[in-house]
Amino acid sequence: MKNNKLKLTLNIILFFAFVFGCSQTKPILSTETSNIINTFYGDALEYKESYGLLKDLTKNVGQRLSGSLGAENAVLWSKTIMENYGFDNVYLQEVMVPHWERGDLEECFFYSNSKRVDLKILGAGGTISTAKEGVTAEVVEVSSLEDVEKLGKKTISGKIVFYNKGFNPRYINQGASYGQTGFQRRLGAIKAAEYGAVASVFRSLSSIEDDVPHTGGMSYSNKFDSIPHGALGVLSSIKLSEELKKNPKTKITVKLSGKWFPDALSHNVIGEIIGSVNPKNIITVGGHLDSWDVGEGAHDDGAGCVHAIGALRLFQQQKIKPKNTLRAVMFMNEENGLRGGVEYAAVAKKLNEIHIAAIESDASAYVPRGFGFSGNEKQLNKIQGWLGYFNKNTISYFSKGGGGADIGPLHRSFGTPVFGLSVDGQKYFEMHHTQKDVFELINARELELGTASIASLIYLIDTYDL
Ligand SMILES: [Zn+2]
């Protein structure tokens, strides 16, 4: 009898230890939710609708830099696609965007033992033109903005500043290298002009040694002259650096052309599936519709746009009525102004909209790995419990920090919790902002895994709240 009682007590303790232990390490998953999420992945991989959309966008619309005809065609394209899908509400949100166009003249060369050596150059997005004959001057090679300050006006004045800081190959995350070298493109012209340079060039923000230059956003300051600013291919940068070691007096000629126009009227494109329980609560999912004027903007960020439309489409295909309103937003002008993202948050404020979460996909169409998250600790702990719904070969983490440029203003004005899709980005900076970013580089299955991962995250937020 005594023994039996002891056994019973022990069993009870073990039972509770088991239950408690389980709830600590493995949250209980709902079979219904698992089935819905598995079906998102299955449908995405089988029907490949995002892939079809991306092919259409890249091949029939193509380049779509803000203010261009391509951008306006992309606005009409996304509106038509979402209308044809029968989303509840499809509309345009007006936004004035900067308008810059590249010209035909892009050349860079020097003479070595009276032999002309050509370098690959591509104007940074927003550069002014040189005169037709270009700018010819001696070169000062630097690897930071501080280098320019240290060398001072005496050395820099009248010269061409050459920023030559490469990616750090030791980093697993090449985005960190991009972050550390981005100053050359974004701020290089301002600093060089402050110290009297007549032009500036920089090593492309690239993870590989090829000679395809990468463009991207740059700035000028009212305080200093605007000077031509261009990206050199990585091999061209190495070539120029070697020449400067042999002959520090080497002069290069830079020819660039680009023209600014008055701001143009453009639009964010919005498609909604109205919530069945809390229609006023909004979950935004977006990518940016504009691209650079080289390549087709397939990875950057056509992929993000079709991820967003495709995610809502997956809800439609399973006939899921979300509790909250789901909004696919094609943001305009992420690349050179962020006007679309700023306007979206401003309108949300004006209309007193309730944004419960926002998700951005602007990291390419490669295999999804996780989501970066900016919200509070409690929310982060809660979403960690959702990882069990994902196949580990797709989403395996929710990491602290992250979101996206376009949803940043929403996060800053409302404290909206924001997510950014993270992918296997090893190849991204081989073609980011170059002529190589075309549809042919897209793998249908990888792209579709992204769409399904985003649809799954939206479903979890909509069903279980943050
Ligand atoms: Zn982008």
Side-chain angles (χ1 to χ4, degrees):
M1 190 67 174
K2 243 188 183 173
N3 239 352
N4 274 352
K5 238 186 192 172
L6 191 69
K7 251 188 199 164
L8 187 70
T9 320
L10 244 169
N11 278 344
I12 290 168
I13 291 170
L14 279 175
F15 173 76
F16 279 108
F18 175 74
V19 170
F20 184 69
C22 280
S23 68
Q24 281 299 293
T25 53
K26 255 197 176 162
I28 292 144
L29 300 181
S30 138
T31 312
E32 192 197 346
T33 300
S34 285
N35 288 341
I36 284 170
I37 286 177
N38 287 339
T39 307
F40 279 150
Y41 280 94
D43 286 353
L45 291 167
E46 183 179 352
Y47 307 134
K48 299 186 187 71
E49 292 209 18
S50 295
Y51 186 69
L53 292 179
L54 189 52
K55 183 174 184 185
D56 197 22
L57 174 65
T58 51
K59 296 305 177 192
N60 292 328
V61 176
Q63 295 164 359
R64 43 199 187 275
L65 185 58
S66 291
S68 68
L69 182 62
E72 279 331 281
N73 289 338
V75 165
L76 292 177
W77 176 87
S78 356
K79 183 168 174 276
T80 308
I81 293 292
M82 293 195 282
E83 281 170 352
N84 289 347
Y85 275 158
F87 290 175
D88 297 325
N89 235 344
V90 179
Y91 59 99
L92 303 182
Q93 188 173 72
E94 287 191 357
V95 53
M96 296 301 290
V97 296
H99 180 191
W100 172 85
E101 283 178 24
R102 183 185 307 281
D104 294 330
L105 185 67
E106 294 194 313
E107 235 176 71
C108 187
F109 57 86
F110 61 85
Y111 284 91
S112 180
N113 301 323
S114 61
K115 204 178 136 239
R116 176 172 154 149
V117 178
D118 282 290
L119 303 174
K120 286 273 189 295
I121 194 166
L122 181 67
T127 184
I128 60 158
S129 298
T130 60
K132 259 208 180 102
E133 66 277 15
V135 183
T136 303
E138 283 180 21
V139 180
V140 184
E141 181 177 336
V142 298
S143 57
S144 68
L145 300 174
E146 293 72 40
D147 283 354
V148 177
E149 289 168 2
K150 271 185 224 148
L151 288 167
K153 273 198 176 141
K154 229 174 146 189
T155 310
I156 301 291
S157 192
K159 309 268 178 58
I160 294 172
V161 171
F162 166 37
Y163 296 94
N164 191 23
K165 186 175 170 69
F167 268 33
N168 187 338
R170 296 184 64 87
Y171 292 169
I172 291 173
N173 173 11
Q174 289 291 275
S177 280
Y178 182 67
Q180 285 182 354
T181 52
F183 71 89
Q184 314 180 91
R185 190 192 73 209
R186 287 182 292 102
L187 305 170
I190 296 177
K191 187 56 77 179
E194 182 182 348
Y195 287 81
V198 289
S200 46
V201 294
F202 60 95
R203 183 186 181 115
S204 283
L205 312 182
S206 168
S207 58
I208 51 166
E209 286 190 7
D210 70 3
D211 218 9
V212 179
H214 298 226
T215 190
M218 60 162 291
S219 307
Y220 289 126
S221 160
N222 298 334
K223 287 196 266 176
F224 313 110
D225 288 345
S226 296
I227 58 171
H229 189 50
L232 293 177
V234 170
L235 291 177
S236 288
S237 301
I238 293 168
K239 209 186 276 179
L240 177 58
S241 185
E242 279 167 0
E243 185 65 22
L244 289 168
K245 279 183 194 91
K246 282 187 277 176
N247 178 12
K249 294 273 176 206
T250 301
K251 285 183 176 176
I252 62 168
T253 297
V254 175
K255 298 182 185 183
L256 289 172
S257 50
K259 196 174 168 198
W260 281 96
F261 297 88
D263 283 0
L265 176 65
S266 189
H267 303 87
N268 292 327
V269 189
I270 300 174
E272 294 180 335
I273 296 180
I274 303 291
S276 56
V277 180
N278 307 308
K280 287 210 146 71
N281 290 0
I282 298 158
I283 300 173
T284 288
V285 55
H288 65 84
L289 195 52
D290 60 310
S291 77
W292 279 106
D293 59 338
V294 287
E296 296 168 354
H299 278 286
D300 188 11
D301 185 29
C305 294
V306 302
H307 276 158
I309 300 176
L312 264 61
R313 177 72 177 146
L314 289 175
F315 273 73
Q316 263 192 334
Q317 281 170 333
Q318 282 202 62
K319 300 192 170 51
I320 298 170
K321 290 263 168 254
K323 287 195 298 181
N324 306 289
T325 292
L326 310 188
R327 245 193 212 173
V329 184
M330 313 298 107
F331 291 98
M332 183 49 71
N333 187 227
E334 187 273 347
E335 293 291 6
N336 58 344
L338 206 68
R339 303 269 186 92
V342 169
E343 183 63 18
Y344 185 73
V347 171
K349 198 162 205 173
K350 207 167 85 187
L351 300 180
N352 273 320
E353 289 179 346
I354 306 161
H355 287 263
I356 59 173
I359 304 164
E360 182 153 349
S361 164
D362 186 16
S364 82
Y366 292 113
V367 181
R369 294 289 192 219
F371 287 98
F373 175 71
S374 297
N376 64 39
E377 284 300 317
K378 214 177 138 195
Q379 292 165 332
L380 186 60
N381 282 335
K382 180 165 187 178
I383 60 178
Q384 303 286 4
W386 297 344
L387 282 175
Y389 287 113
F390 293 94
N391 180 306
K392 291 282 171 287
N393 290 313
T394 59
I395 300 300
S396 63
Y397 62 83
F398 287 102
S399 59
K400 198 172 173 174
D406 297 294
I407 55 177
L410 204 60
H411 178 64
R412 288 188 288 276
S413 11
F414 296 96
T416 307
V418 289
F419 296 82
L421 180 71
S422 299
V423 303
D424 180 345
Q426 293 306 320
K427 296 183 200 148
Y428 190 42
F429 293 101
E430 294 181 7
M431 54 70 195
H432 180 246
H433 295 179
T434 72
Q435 63 191 50
K436 292 194 290 180
D437 183 5
V438 294
F439 177 73
E440 285 72 9
L441 284 194
I442 304 286
N443 177 283
R445 293 184 63 84
E446 293 181 349
L447 173 74
E448 295 295 345
L449 289 175
T451 303
S453 299
I454 289 171
S456 304
L457 176 62
I458 296 172
Y459 182 80
L460 291 164
I461 298 168
D462 185 62
T463 309
Y464 299 108
D465 300 325
L466 283 172

